[in-house]
Amino acid sequence: MRVRTALAAAALLTLGAPVPAGAAPSPDPGRGLFLTVSGSGNTWIRGVALHCPPRPDDRHPDAAGACAALDAADGDFDALPGDPHTCTDEHDPVTVTAEGFWRGAAIAWRRTFPSPCAMHAATGPVFRF
């Protein structure tokens, strides 16, 4: 588990590389998005890079579906079409984050859902990894 956490942290640091002093930050669509899902109290974490359009080296298991969902929401993670379905009333919170760039726009988004089922219902394929 420590290895996964270290890998996720390293990937986040890579996406958040510092800009040299005096240089204006510019959107870098090639950097894509880094998505994470973590359990209650960060007891576990997993993350994956996503580029839209998908690249052959993407690690997201449904990069095309995730990009299509982001396109449908025009990059607004709060407006994702999701995968509406009924969930049981369990309390097993998960927190998701998205950081990086989508279509040249900087993204820094975070949300906690009451359960993995509620997360999938709201976000569809984007955080299904």
Side-chain angles (χ1 to χ4, degrees), residues 51-92:
H51 297 92
C52 294
R55 296 180 178 177
D57 62 344
D58 275 340
R59 300 289 185 223
H60 194 293
D62 185 7
C67 288
L70 282 167
D71 284 340
D74 197 28
D76 181 356
F77 280 79
D78 289 317
L80 288 170
D83 179 14
H85 57 273
T86 304
C87 295
T88 61
D89 191 20
E90 67 180 289
H91 183 72
D92 183 18

Side-chain angles (χ1 to χ4, degrees), residues 35-37 46-48 59-61 97 120 125-129:
L35 309 173
T36 65
V37 178
R46 64 181 180 259
V48 69
R59 300 289 185 223
H60 194 293
T97 66
H120 292 304
V126 176
F127 292 96
R128 195 172 292 144
F129 53 85

Side-chain angles (χ1 to χ4, degrees), residues 9-41:
L12 279 173
L13 290 174
T14 301
L15 284 176
V19 176
S26 62
D28 182 359
R31 286 177 33 190
L33 292 166
F34 187 69
L35 309 173
T36 65
V37 178
S38 62
S40 179

